């Protein structure tokens, strides 16, 4: 059989998830040329980034040169997550978009960009869950959705954050902020760039410039995992602060604490320090393309004139604590291995 391609994409509905924070993913049933059917989940911001990249790949078919020759369907992003009605309308738009996409000429509909975007990912098969968090809520699209979109229920409630300092955007996809601005967070990316909306403006904002309204602590942050998860460095970075690490592309490291601002605590051998999450890729997974051209977000420690509404600052673990606990974990694991090896040697000698 030749190269894989998609025969049909059907929008099934969407899921409301609560871990690591509240967000929404659309559910697609993807039917492939080998007659297999796979269920995949994608956020709307991911789909929109995919759409923009597709238009750049095919400027003639996207109408950039001559609008009369446009065949790539439109995917507007006007009023994102403004309430129940806009959510319903977007599902209809996405269903029509997928139908039109797969019926485009093969050079577009079967290109690697389309195929790779709808391939099953690790998270599709093993979505992140937590026993202490509410289970995802599923909202299925009716079979006759075009006629009965009003049957879908469930308004979307976004988290509101406050800007702690002025932020000047550096690209058209970002959004400028003034200290005190109240923004709704649409998506929290692991990169430390959050997609926000403020009245009629929308764009990416560094998470370090935002604070929750109810308190300085970020309850979504998990506890450190000193066992570590193996990641591979996708982009080199030279440390700018004492508590950061300098790593080279291709280095294998262990992530021991994933923080929402996009600066993760990682371990290289027995050394720990902060490193941009954007430059890391989980070992064994395909290289991620989301925000691939964006630079690492600023750290909160580099922001001047911070004005918080909270008397206490966010609780932070010192780098010395990370290093000490990480070293203790490594030493403990070594002792366990040594004990197992010693027992194995004793058994081996007794059997001679």
């Amino acid at each position: 059989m030749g190269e894989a391609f998609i025969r049909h994409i059907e929008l099934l509905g969407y899921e409301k998830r609560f871990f690591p924070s509240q967000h929404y993913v659309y559910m697609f049933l993807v039917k492939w040329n080998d007659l297999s059917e796979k269920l995949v989940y994608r956020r709307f911001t991911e789909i929109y980034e995919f759409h923009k990249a597709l238009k750049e790949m095919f400027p003639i078919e996207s109408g950039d040169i001559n609008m009369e020759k446009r065949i790539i369907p439109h995917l507007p992003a006007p009023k994102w997550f403004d309430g129940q009605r806009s959510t319903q309308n977007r599902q209809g738009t996405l269903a029509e978009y997928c139908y039109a996409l797969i019926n485009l000429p093969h050079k577009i509909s079967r290109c690697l960009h389309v195929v790779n975007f709808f391939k099953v990912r690790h998270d599709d098969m093993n979505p992140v869950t937590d026993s202490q968090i509410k289970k995802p809520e599923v909202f299925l699209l009716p079979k006759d959705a075009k006629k009965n979109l009003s049957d879908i229920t469930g308004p979307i409630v976004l988290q509101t954050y406050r800007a702690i300092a002025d932020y000047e955007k550096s690209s058209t996809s970002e959004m400028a902020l003034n200290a005190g601005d109240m923004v709704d967070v649409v998506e929290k990316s692991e990169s430390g760039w959050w997609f926000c909306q403020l009245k009629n403006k929308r764009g990416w904002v560094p998470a370090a410039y935002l604070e929750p309204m109810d308190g300085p602590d970020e309850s979504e942050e998990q506890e450190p995992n000193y066992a570590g998860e193996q990641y591979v460095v996708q982009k080199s970075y030279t440390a700018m602060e004492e508590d950061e690490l300098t790593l080279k592309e291709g280095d294998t490291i262990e992530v021991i604490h994933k923080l929402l601002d996009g600066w993760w605590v990682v371990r290289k051998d027995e050394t720990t320090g902060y490193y941009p999450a954007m430059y890391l890729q989980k070992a064994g997974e395909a290289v991620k393309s989301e925000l691939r051209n964006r630079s690492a977000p600023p750290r909160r420690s580099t922001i001047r004139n911070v004005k918080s509404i909270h008397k206490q600052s966010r609780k932070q673990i010192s780098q010395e604590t990370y290093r000490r606990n990480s070293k203790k974990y490594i030493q403990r694991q070594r002792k366990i291995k040594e004990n197992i090896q010693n027992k194995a040697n004793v058994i081996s000698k007794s059997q001679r």
Side-chain angles (χ1 to χ4, degrees), residues 48-65 70 72 97 108 111 113 172-173 289 292-293:
Y48 194 65
E49 291 293 326
F50 156 83
H51 171 68
K52 290 196 295 184
L54 186 69
K55 288 173 60 184
E56 291 175 1
M57 292 173 62
F58 300 98
I60 296 176
E61 291 82 0
S62 67
D64 285 351
I65 299 174
R70 174 163 189 163
I72 291 178
Y97 178 85
I108 303 176
C111 72
H113 181 61
T172 55
S173 62
S289 59
R292 61 189 179 279
N293 297 322

Side-chain angles (χ1 to χ4, degrees), residues 24 37 39 43 226 301 313:
Y24 295 82
E37 297 183 359
L39 186 63
R43 297 189 183 193
Y226 291 104
S301 58
S313 60

Side-chain angles (χ1 to χ4, degrees), residues 23 68 76 232 276 334:
H23 64 280
E68 293 180 357
V232 177
R334 283 177 181 167

